Amino acid sequence: MSKQYITYNQIHKLCAESANKILSSDFTPDVILAIGGGGYIPARILRTFLKVPIKSVSLELYDDITDKMGDSVLIKQWCSNDDIEGKNVLIVDEVDDTRSTLYTCVEKVLESKPKKVGAFVLYNKLKNKHKGNHWDNEKAEKDHVNVDHYLVGAEVDDVWLVYPWEALDIDEHNSKAQ
Ligand code: 5GP
């Protein structure tokens, strides 16, 4: 699989552009729900523009030989019900790959009766999603796990994204990104 190296500058700009889209939409987030660890840095950049608190949660793809990779997601850490109930919640992650993580997160958020749910990812990979391709098409309303707003920084092919926070040598990483 080919690799695409991403710089902090690119991430900051995607967040800034997306925050402006959110600010000019009819969805006003009350809280950002950052999915750790990839959602933390995008969430913090978004907060500069959106000026709302960040709560963090942690979900992990369940990697078991009896289970198909990417189908099951474990919730490792969650926030309090009060962080979500009656609020406009903006879920933030770095990538929508198979969508399993985001789907599970939305499903769990909906249990706490939010007012509205938005989801933002820096990158959406253009591929079939394990939980179905709704959110992108007219099938959306047929699924109980739905979002009011789905916002993507950039659409990408099914490549392997290498983020700057994974770099041991950031200068080398940046030169690979050129
Ligand atoms: P999902 O398949 O549930 O949409 O994504 C699960 C997780 O896999 C993501 O939160 C991320 O941690 C990891 N992941 C998926 N695609 C990539 C990628 O291209 N690069 C990196 N570094 N992690 C990825």
Side-chain angles (χ1 to χ4, degrees):
M1 184 184 270
S2 70
K3 287 183 179 175
Q4 189 174 323
Y5 288 79
I6 315 288
T7 66
Y8 282 116
N9 257 35
Q10 286 170 317
I11 290 167
H12 199 101
K13 285 180 182 166
L14 285 180
C15 288
E17 285 164 16
S18 304
N20 285 332
K21 283 185 197 157
I22 293 167
L23 289 170
S24 57
S25 77
D26 60 354
F27 177 70
T28 312
D30 298 311
V31 63
I32 294 170
L33 203 68
I35 302 181
Y40 292 158
I41 293 174
R44 177 59 190 87
I45 299 170
L46 281 175
R47 196 186 79 182
T48 297
F49 301 92
L50 302 178
K51 299 180 173 43
V52 294
I54 300 173
K55 302 291 167 182
S56 57
V57 296
S58 172
L59 295 94
E60 245 173 48
L61 276 178
Y62 189 57
D63 184 6
D64 190 284
I65 22 173
T66 58
D67 209 328
K68 222 175 110 203
M69 177 67 174
D71 266 356
S72 304
V73 178
L74 284 179
I75 295 172
K76 308 276 276 190
Q77 182 200 319
W78 198 247
C79 58
S80 94
N81 202 53
D82 292 347
D83 295 328
I84 296 174
E85 194 175 353
K87 298 199 169 139
N88 287 340
V89 179
L90 179 65
I91 299 168
V92 174
D93 208 355
E94 88 279 33
V95 66
D96 176 346
D97 180 17
T98 64
R99 192 165 290 170
S100 300
T101 304
L102 207 49
Y103 189 96
T104 305
C105 188
V106 172
E107 200 169 30
K108 176 88 176 145
V109 162
L110 290 172
E111 286 173 15
S112 292
K113 308 263 181 291
K115 193 166 160 199
K116 282 186 182 175
V117 182
F120 166 70
V121 287
L122 286 174
Y123 297 98
N124 176 40
K125 293 193 193 174
L126 296 168
K127 63 195 280 184
N128 272 330
K129 307 296 183 182
H130 283 180
K131 302 281 186 178
N133 292 330
H134 47 263
W135 298 0
D136 305 336
N137 59 37
E138 70 283 357
K139 279 190 284 175
E141 71 274 10
K142 291 185 191 147
D143 196 289
H144 71 289
V145 179
N146 203 10
V147 286
D148 299 290
H149 292 262
Y150 177 61
L151 188 65
V152 167
E155 311 269 17
V156 288
D157 289 330
D158 194 10
V159 294
W160 187 253
L161 302 164
V162 187
Y163 303 103
W165 50 79
E166 295 167 352
L168 295 177
D169 181 334
I170 192 68
D171 293 327
E172 190 184 293
H173 176 95
N174 285 344
S175 60
K176 283 182 178 162
Q178 293 306 314

